[in-house]
Amino acid sequence: MSEYRNESAQFNAPGARNWIAEAADVCKRAAQGDLEARILNIDDETHANTDTPALLHAINHLLDMTDAFVREATASLEFAGDGKFFRRVLLAGMLGSFARAAKSINTATSQMSEEKKALDQAHDQRLELEADFNKLREVVHALSDATGHIDLMSKTMAKLASQTSLLSINASIEAARVGDMGRGFGVVASEVKKLATQAATASSEIQGRVRELTGAAKNTSETIEEIWTVIRDQGSGQVEHATKAA
Amino acid sequence: MHLTGHERTFDPDEIIVSKTDTKGRITYANRVFQRVAGYTEAELLGKPHSIVRHPDMPRCVFKYLWDTIAAGREVFAYVLNRAKCGDHYWVFAHVTPTFDNHNRIVSYHSSRRVPCRKAVNTVIPIYQALMGVEKRHSNPQDQWKASLPVLVDTLNKAKMSYDEFIFSITDQYVGASA
Ligand SMILES: Cc1cc2nc3c(=O)[nH]c(=O)nc-3n(C[C@H](O)[C@H](O)[C@H](O)COP(=O)(O)O)c2cc1C
């Protein structure tokens, strides 16, 4: 049993413990932050002063309450530091200043929890914005692809028009060669020539518009990529901030 | 093991405190502990903490408790204890390791508060289910090996960690009137 006594008990002659010296030693250790010390085997009967056992029990009780508070507060704050806010300081058995300090910690933890929620929400919203903006980028890319296609098609159209024009000239020559019989055919050939000229004008107009469109699409694309870089940088900044806060 | 079926309780303002060495042998028990458990200090000091173990407590809870504190973390548990006379009493226990300046575990500490009935009523059927699984085995190790997955499964179904579960059924005032 003696191995479970406080060390200070060993300073006294067997059978005659110096309670006051033991109490002083336990208090001294506690003041140095050692909350493990307690006065063990308090004998409630044989004391010169009848108040002594009450004093010794009171010291143990004070240490028990302090020890419990320190363990509770440490645990709650360690959890909060880890980003887990459900761990509240238990208020049962905490009185007076212990209770007030415990409540302050719990209030602070609730606030941290709310802030974390707001931060998470902002993060989610940013992710949504990022996704929406990415869709916009795709649309702009598709538009610029489409203008490219139109450009190609109008070039094909211009080529067809010039070939048709050549063909109609050949047809007029052939029609002239057969004389009167070819007159009707010559009229058709000259109408075809007019249509080919109109088609050539239209296609060169289209090409002009497409050039304008391509320029605009390129500008839009560049601006969108610039905004995209800003959004992405903000995102990584926010994540860094969140991980630092957690 | 003698059981009376009679339940004891203690004040919401009181805390049952005990300390143990790293093996779980009691090195300190406060007066509330002595009164509620019905043992004298001399009967408790040096004894394994299982001196207040109640046979209806599933082994896997203690397995989880010891694994957690040995890893340096705190643990909470609703525990049914047995007093010397065979009465039983429910506690909401908080067990923590004590470290020296080199961060080595030198002892354990436990404070217990009186739990609220609602929490106890939530825990009882879970413990009964775990006991049902453990009763199919005779070897203590086989018992917790069989019941621990059932506990884990119960928590997974509730989508909570053990700690979250405990705090979800525990008011910060515990049994105390707020
Ligand atoms: C600080 C501390 C407090 C404990 N408190 C209790 C308790 O109140 N009741 C209990 O049955 N076991 C408690 N235990 C767990 C016991 O050490 C033991 O594991 C448990 O009673 C199961 O006993 P068994 O493994 O011999 O079956 C505590 C352990 C420690 C370290």
Side-chain angles (χ1 to χ4, degrees), chain A:
Chain A
M1 193 56 58
S2 61
E3 66 176 296
Y4 292 102
R5 285 228 182 129
N6 277 318
E7 290 151 31
S8 53
Q10 294 160 7
F11 299 144
N12 304 304
R17 285 167 71 182
N18 183 343
W19 296 103
I20 301 301
E22 261 190 58
D25 182 56
V26 165
C27 290
K28 204 167 94 189
R29 283 172 61 186
Q32 286 165 350
D34 174 5
L35 296 178
E36 289 305 285
R38 295 290 186 283
I39 305 158
L40 298 183
N41 294 307
I42 299 168
D43 123 38
D44 290 323
E45 317 295 329
T46 58
H47 292 276
N49 184 333
T50 51
D51 289 336
T52 308
L55 170 70
L56 302 172
H57 287 303
I59 291 173
N60 278 349
H61 189 214
L62 170 63
L63 283 169
D64 284 345
M65 296 322 269
T66 313
D67 198 3
F69 174 79
V70 170
R71 283 174 198 269
E72 277 291 311
T74 308
S76 175
L77 291 171
E78 273 176 5
F79 268 71
D82 238 11
K84 297 179 202 139
F85 300 104
F86 60 85
R87 173 63 168 97
R88 296 290 146 84
V89 179
L90 298 177
L91 298 175
M94 300 274 163
L95 303 170
S97 285
F98 288 124
R100 280 192 294 279
K103 278 182 192 153
S104 301
I105 294 175
N106 285 353
T107 310
T109 329
S110 308
Q111 276 164 0
M112 282 192 259
S113 167
E114 289 306 313
E115 278 163 28
K116 171 90 172 14
K117 253 186 235 152
L119 207 67
D120 285 350
Q121 213 176 357
H123 182 65
D124 287 349
Q125 281 170 349
R126 210 200 49 76
L127 285 183
E128 255 173 58
L129 173 70
E130 194 174 302
D132 285 348
F133 203 82
N134 212 10
K135 267 185 223 144
L136 180 63
R137 280 175 77 211
E138 280 164 20
V139 172
V140 171
H141 286 315
L143 262 176
S144 126
D145 282 354
T147 35
H149 275 120
I150 296 172
D151 192 38
L152 266 181
M153 275 155 65
S154 68
K155 277 183 182 134
T156 313
M157 200 172 134
K159 212 187 264 169
L160 282 176
S162 85
Q163 275 167 1
T164 311
S165 171
L166 268 179
L167 269 178
S168 70
I169 291 166
N170 285 340
S172 309
I173 294 167
E174 290 305 322
R177 276 220 307 212
V178 291
D180 270 357
M181 264 166 69
R183 183 159 296 150
F185 191 63
V187 174
V188 174
S190 90
E191 285 307 311
V192 169
K193 171 104 185 12
K194 273 186 208 153
L195 283 177
T197 312
Q198 276 170 21
T201 316
S203 86
S204 95
E205 247 171 58
I206 291 173
Q207 276 179 50
R209 285 292 161 84
V210 164
R211 226 171 286 125
E212 277 168 33
L213 259 180
T214 313
K218 196 167 161 260
N219 283 344
T220 315
S221 209
E222 278 166 10
T223 312
I224 280 196
E225 288 309 311
E226 273 165 32
I227 299 174
W228 177 243
T229 319
V230 174
I231 291 179
R232 280 241 309 255
D233 287 354
Q234 261 177 4
S236 52
Q238 206 173 47
V239 169
E240 246 169 58
H241 179 72
T243 31
K244 257 182 218 155

